[in-house]
Amino acid sequence: MQIWRWDGFFDSLFNAYLLEGAIISVGLTAGSLVFGLIIGIGLALMRLSGNRIMSGFAAFYCWFFRGTPLLVQLLLIYTGLPLLGIRFDVWEAALIGISLNEGAYLSEIVRAGIMSVAKGQREAAAALGLHRAQVFRLVTWPQALRVIIPPLGNSVNGLLKTTSIASVISVDELLRRTQLLIQERFLVLELFIVAAMYYLLMTTLWDFVQRRLERRYGRGYAADSADRR
């Protein structure tokens, strides 16, 4: 039995079916990130609102979604909710499950970023006549972004790989397509290594984007540090 086939490896490396799967994984990551961020910002504001009910709900949400495996959450949404008459197709179930899970983690990142802004700055902005929404938009959020972006970038990196869990409920992403090709061609090592290379390529490209974002939002602070030195 031949263990490794170079022709099969190179053929799989540029396989359009797998490339399309990688694009689907990126799309699922982007969609989950957008909805996760919306959920995360909402939860962070609820935790910091001072309202005990909203703060308690946000704390419970984070406790539940961070304390249970994403795989279990996906299976609950895809196979459990239909028993209650609520049905989603595989794409909807994956997007909802990953977004809800990611929102719990992102809420803590956003909350930490907001809390890093000195209270005095918010009070000074309020003293100048800005209302709460303006204070948040013009003073708090721009400064919080500098703290939020590095851990957010790590979350996106993890999210790119986490989408592979969606293959369990048959979402047609990169890992699912890899497994289907393995069943057809029996190139186990070759195809799994190709899939790993695709994930490495995606996370590496994201690293470049993250560095540019960090430089952009940390530019003013870097200049301040240089001036102080």
Side-chain angles (χ1 to χ4, degrees), residues 39 43 47 54-70 73 100-108 111:
I39 295 168
L43 289 171
R47 284 289 293 271
M54 289 200 292
S55 178
F57 171 80
F60 174 80
Y61 182 100
C62 292
W63 169 76
F64 177 79
F65 280 97
R66 294 172 67 198
T68 54
L70 173 60
Q73 294 163 18
L100 290 174
N101 182 275
E102 195 64 18
Y105 288 94
L106 292 181
S107 72
E108 293 299 290
R111 188 165 70 98

Side-chain angles (χ1 to χ4, degrees), residues 204-218:
T204 303
L205 290 175
W206 170 251
D207 279 344
F208 285 119
V209 175
Q210 182 181 348
R211 285 178 200 168
R212 287 183 67 88
L213 288 172
E214 287 179 15
R215 276 201 297 271
R216 176 181 171 80
Y217 286 96

Side-chain angles (χ1 to χ4, degrees), residues 8 11 20 23 36 53 99 107 128 136 163 175 177 191 196 222 229:
D11 181 58
E20 192 178 320
I23 293 171
I53 296 175
S99 299
S107 72
L128 290 173
F136 181 78
T163 54
L175 182 60
R177 290 188 176 215
L191 280 162
R229 284 197 293 270

